[in-house]
Amino acid sequence: MTEVANVSVSDAAAKRISAILKSEPEKTALRISVEGGGCSGFSYKYDLVDVQDEDDIVIEKLGAKVLIDSISLPYIGGSEIDFVDDLMGQSFQIRNPNATASCGCGTSFSI
């Protein structure tokens, strides 16, 4: 796993992000951010972007590039970004040790 600022990206997530970016040639990275809202108080947001901000933490692995802004980083520090493909479907999952509760949707959490 590649780890930057105590956030890691699994091989499965890196391969999936790389494949997505190859299919979207105008985009250069996957931005993961945390926003207020969702069932549990905070929610993860995923965006394909072509611009990197000065305060972004950059994680690169296996052709994938993940950006996390400095405001979101305290909420997901220590997390693992993974990609799961199982009977329930395909999705990115963030295993966040800071979350005290999460929602069944997998994108909402509380601290």
Side-chain angles (χ1 to χ4, degrees):
M1 270 182 254
T2 298
E3 191 171 305
V4 174
N6 211 19
V7 175
S8 60
V9 177
S10 71
D11 288 352
K15 289 174 185 173
R16 183 67 178 147
I17 295 165
S18 180
I20 291 169
L21 291 173
K22 284 179 184 167
S23 70
E24 300 276 345
E26 69 281 357
K27 303 299 181 184
T28 58
L30 175 69
R31 175 177 299 284
I32 300 174
S33 55
V34 174
E35 297 184 329
C39 326
S40 299
F42 295 100
S43 62
Y44 301 112
K45 183 177 177 190
Y46 303 90
D47 291 304
L48 293 176
V49 297
D50 59 358
V51 176
Q52 179 179 324
D53 296 333
E54 273 187 39
D55 69 337
D56 284 338
I57 299 301
V58 180
I59 304 169
E60 294 183 279
K61 180 178 185 181
L62 302 174
K65 186 174 187 180
V66 176
L67 306 176
I68 303 170
D69 63 87
S70 61
I71 294 170
S72 298
L73 189 60
Y75 296 100
I76 58 176
S79 296
E80 179 192 22
I81 300 162
D82 196 10
F83 182 75
V84 177
D85 185 357
D86 60 22
L87 292 174
M88 299 300 289
Q90 297 180 332
S91 64
F92 285 103
Q93 293 185 359
I94 297 179
R95 292 183 178 86
N96 188 340
N98 304 307
T100 57
S102 61
C103 185
C105 64
T107 60
S108 181
F109 67 102
S110 61
I111 293 181

